Amino acid sequence: MSTTKAVRAGGRTVEVSRPEKVLFPEEGITKADLADYYRAVAPRMLPHLRGRPLMLERHPDGIDGPAFMQKEVPRHFPDWIHRAELPKEGGTVTYAVCDDTATLLYLADQACITPHRFLSKTDRPDHPDRLVFDLDPPGDEFAPVRTAALALHELLDELELPSLVMTTGSRGLHIVVALDGRAPFDDVRGFARDVAELLASRHPDELTTEPRKKARGGRLYLDVQRNAYAQTAVAPYAVRARPGGPVAAPIAWADVTDPDLTAGRWTVTAPDDLLKDNPWKDPPRPRSLTKARSRLSAIQQCPDAPPG
């Protein structure tokens, strides 16, 4: 006989079916554990999800079983879950939008271990309000990621673009810049590519913008490909489908200097540790890329000039 676990959230009751279902075999982490985690982090996580289309990474048989990425909202999703119908080539896609705790819990019930979010919102899907640099290391060592992140932080400061940093729960770090949403995706991606290429030119032996793995030569990849329409990035506080149940954790820039920092330091089993501090409590105001583009052009023309 199947079992369910009723969870109250925002005036709704979400039924978590088969709560004893093990999703992370090595640790024995169950679907109920996943739902409990997302309920605990919801107040912190929801501001980063509201109004954004989601791609759902689902693992119905746990992380060792078959998985799939789901864009289209299934017909069986309840009516109270918000949706956004957006264009694609030759048609449209109706995405789920997570605006409340009940939706987050329902996604957990659907074995959506990881929600991946758009960098734009449903009202202006072609104009991102987030820019993301994904630091993808060539191996398992994390020191190169920390070094690259600090170098990128310094360059963004030169461009007067305040940035935030988070672990991905996978291998690297994401550097996030809040934008005012005026520039379309093509302009934002072009700007991000130019920034990455400038940084790689400053550190040619350590960094690369080469998308082909065989051509990277053991260097860390500065990935800006997520800055495109209908592309997604892992949401802050999202659980990753990896052994140990690591999560994507917002951190402070001071944390990046910690030699013990890793991409998977925080896990689904200890939300209190993750929530103890709120390094993104006072985020920088969104910025325009217009002035930053001018500053970048000036640096490109005089690459040997000292910062500032």
Side-chain angles (χ1 to χ4, degrees):
M1 179 181 297
S2 62
T3 60
T4 61
K5 175 183 178 179
V7 184
R8 292 287 294 173
R12 298 190 186 278
T13 299
V14 178
E15 299 286 346
V16 178
S17 63
R18 300 183 65 195
E20 74 286 352
K21 174 69 178 180
V22 174
L23 299 179
F24 294 79
E26 290 186 19
E27 299 78 19
I29 299 170
T30 65
K31 192 194 289 188
D33 295 326
L34 182 69
D36 288 343
Y37 167 82
Y38 276 127
R39 189 181 191 192
V41 302
R44 294 271 186 90
M45 187 175 186
L46 287 172
H48 304 291
L49 296 179
R50 288 192 180 103
R52 298 182 187 277
L54 297 180
M55 182 166 64
L56 312 178
E57 182 181 340
R58 296 177 61 186
H59 296 258
D61 294 316
I63 66 170
D64 290 343
F68 60 97
M69 307 295 284
Q70 188 164 50
K71 296 182 179 180
E72 188 76 29
V73 174
R75 292 183 179 180
H76 68 267
F77 272 36
D79 293 340
W80 49 263
I81 289 182
H82 296 169
R83 294 158 166 80
E85 185 177 358
L86 299 179
K88 69 170 185 177
E89 185 176 356
T92 62
V93 176
T94 301
Y95 294 90
V97 181
C98 184
D99 289 332
D100 52 38
T101 303
T103 300
L104 196 54
L105 292 174
Y106 185 84
L107 296 180
D109 172 62
Q110 297 296 300
C112 172
I113 291 179
T114 313
H116 300 261
R117 65 173 184 165
F118 268 44
L119 301 181
S120 58
K121 292 189 175 182
T122 58
D123 55 347
R124 299 195 76 199
D126 295 318
H127 290 70
D129 64 352
R130 296 290 183 273
L131 182 159
V132 172
F133 296 91
D134 181 6
L135 307 188
D136 183 9
D140 294 331
E141 290 188 17
F142 202 70
V145 183
R146 295 190 300 105
T147 301
L150 293 172
L152 179 55
H153 184 212
E154 181 180 355
L155 176 54
L156 291 172
D157 281 351
E158 289 181 54
L159 301 174
E160 297 185 20
L161 287 176
S163 56
L164 299 171
V165 58
M166 61 179 270
T167 68
T168 63
S170 179
R171 285 163 30 91
L173 294 172
H174 280 182
I175 314 303
V176 183
V177 176
L179 303 178
D180 61 8
R182 295 181 182 179
F185 264 113
D186 285 348
D187 290 354
V188 172
R189 185 173 67 251
F191 174 82
R193 182 181 60 246
D194 289 346
V195 171
E197 289 178 349
L198 174 59
L199 188 64
S201 72
R202 290 179 172 182
H203 307 275
D205 295 332
E206 294 83 26
L207 306 177
T208 181
T209 58
E210 176 55 64
R212 295 173 301 164
K213 288 186 177 181
K214 291 183 178 180
R216 294 177 192 170
R219 294 169 294 176
L220 182 141
Y221 175 41
L222 301 169
D223 185 359
V224 300
Q225 298 305 313
R226 300 179 188 280
N227 299 286
Y229 176 75
Q231 296 297 308
T232 59
V234 62
Y237 299 99
V239 182
R240 306 309 300 271
R242 298 170 65 89
V247 304
I251 59 176
W253 275 109
D255 295 323
V256 181
T257 64
D258 182 353
D260 293 328
L261 179 68
T262 66
R265 172 182 284 188
W266 291 271
T267 72
V268 65
T269 58
D272 290 345
D273 291 345
L274 178 62
L275 299 175
K276 183 166 49 178
D277 299 311
N278 187 1
W280 289 13
K281 181 179 180 180
D282 298 308
R285 65 175 177 81
R287 301 301 174 101
S288 165
L289 286 185
T290 303
K291 292 183 178 180
R293 168 58 77 181
S294 296
R295 296 185 186 100
L296 178 61
S297 296
I299 295 173
Q300 290 170 322
Q301 292 172 11
C302 302
D304 297 327

